[in-house]
Amino acid sequence: QRLGVGHEQGSSVRAIEPTAEPHLNATVSGDGPKRPSNISRRAALVLATVLLAAMLVSAYAFFSKAPRKTNDNPSNSAAYDTYLHAKVLMSSENREDVESATKLLEDAVGTDPKFALAWTELARAYYIKAFYYTPEQSKELNLKAQFANEKALSIDPDLAEAHFVRGLLLWTHANRFPHEQAIESYKRALLLNPKLDEVHHQLGLVYFHVGLLDKGWTEIDKAVAINPSNTLARFRFGVIYLYRGQYEEALSFFKSTPLEKNPSLWAFQTATALFQLGRNDEALSLLDKYLHDYPNDEGGVGASVRAMILAKTGKPREAEAEIAHAIAIGKDFGHFHHTAYNIASAYALLNKPEQAVQWLQTAADDGFPCYPLFANDSNLKGLHGDARFIAFMA
């Protein structure tokens, strides 16, 4: 019945049984079937062959649809529990949590060296540390990340998460942000598993960095639909609103997604939205609190937003000092291109077009060629008639 042969053809299955042979092989002889005719034998053989072929086709279809056995799941339950704990910590991308997650994942792969998912999550932890928090160790950490991820792929070449992390490792300051290669790795991961919300999130991130705001929005929307608790992905809606010049909508999203565990990202984007709305005092107050609580100011993003505000409010000396500080502390930061863009904006507001265009070029070359933002940001209006800016935009 599974093959659909016996069910549809009634007695045809019984026809190949020995007791059924006389019915199948009835001859034209009036003496009864003392020996089957050649035609009857051929008919039985054909039917048996058809049935065997049907069984083989059905079996292939059944097993090809069954879940593929991989090494994604560990043989050791303790390793799996450790991995799950680390994965929860990793969701915030917070410095302390990522540090704790890294140690847990190192324990997991030590306990079960064939646990591919733990290897690739460890690679992601090394990447985040290098990209956001310890750029001075980026070379060593990126090498460790590449080793861990290739280890995962050697265990399971079709592990979607490992193809995702390969894209992350490509899209870095050291590699000059090869957007197309990263996008291809993310697409490969989604082909293997379209339900990975973080892959949609990071694909959307690349899209809106290169100015494809609508495509970025679509991918972020998919990420949040799959995992509504992915607050970092939800936060990116506000960033896209910011790049579209819809500052009230951006601010509303930022305020509704506080990102307590990622204060740097939240503070600089929220302060930027306030600044674009002309609420400079609120923006400065927010930045002052952030810099008091988190004086490291990863990437110099806080200092660069302060530079824009000071430039616009007629305080050129203070603005230049903030620019110098942002460069000094942020130059090796993974997302330094945002700091570079803010520095360009500050120079434009200071009426220094040559420096402004130079820093726009730095931002674009270093992973942030966001044409719609450059074209529509009111802070850059003073550059629109400058030949260098026109050539750059072209």
Side-chain angles (χ1 to χ4, degrees), residues 7 26 37 64 113 122 130 149 198-199 299 331 367 370 388:
H7 177 72
S37 69
S64 66
L122 177 59
N149 203 55
E198 191 56 22
V199 186
K331 59 184 177 180
C370 190
R388 289 161 295 199

Side-chain angles (χ1 to χ4, degrees), residues 49-60:
T49 302
V50 169
L51 285 170
L52 179 61
M55 290 171 66
L56 290 171
V57 169
S58 180
Y60 175 78

Side-chain angles (χ1 to χ4, degrees), residues 149-331:
N149 203 55
E150 291 307 311
K151 179 72 174 177
L153 285 166
S154 72
I155 297 167
D156 184 358
D158 291 327
L159 183 60
E161 289 85 349
H163 287 279
F164 160 56
V165 172
R166 180 176 276 178
L168 289 178
L169 296 176
L170 281 168
W171 201 66
T172 64
H173 174 75
N175 291 329
R176 307 289 289 177
F177 294 94
H179 308 297
E180 291 181 3
Q181 292 179 47
I183 287 169
E184 286 306 309
S185 288
Y186 295 156
K187 286 183 175 180
R188 170 69 174 149
L190 290 172
L191 188 66
L192 292 164
N193 186 352
K195 295 297 184 182
L196 292 176
D197 61 292
E198 191 56 22
V199 186
H200 287 290
H201 173 201
Q202 294 298 325
L203 178 56
L205 193 73
V206 175
Y207 279 145
F208 71 67
H209 271 70
V210 300
L212 300 173
L213 304 184
D214 291 344
K215 291 185 78 169
W217 184 281
T218 297
E219 294 300 326
I220 301 297
D221 199 42
K222 289 176 184 177
V224 174
I226 294 167
N227 181 9
S229 66
N230 191 333
T231 52
L232 272 176
R234 181 174 294 277
F235 184 84
R236 309 294 184 183
F237 286 130
V239 177
I240 295 173
Y241 272 131
L242 191 67
Y243 294 175
R244 287 174 172 169
Q246 296 173 267
Y247 304 126
E248 289 286 3
E249 291 87 345
L251 185 61
S252 177
F253 255 98
F254 297 153
K255 286 188 172 181
S256 66
T257 315
L259 295 186
E260 291 94 345
K261 291 191 174 183
N262 204 317
S264 172
L265 178 62
W266 185 87
F268 105 80
Q269 297 284 26
T270 306
T272 300
L274 288 167
F275 165 64
Q276 293 285 22
L277 288 166
R279 295 160 64 174
N280 298 327
D281 290 342
E282 290 178 67
L284 284 172
S285 178
L286 185 154
L287 288 169
D288 286 344
K289 184 179 187 311
Y290 159 68
L291 292 169
H292 176 268
D293 295 340
Y294 303 95
N296 286 338
D297 187 24
E298 282 94 1
V301 287
S304 69
V305 178
R306 281 182 56 85
M308 288 194 297
I309 298 170
L310 293 166
K312 193 167 187 176
T313 55
K315 298 176 180 175
R317 185 177 300 173
E318 294 93 328
E320 294 262 17
E322 290 290 354
I323 289 171
H325 181 59
I327 294 169
I329 65 174
K331 59 184 177 180

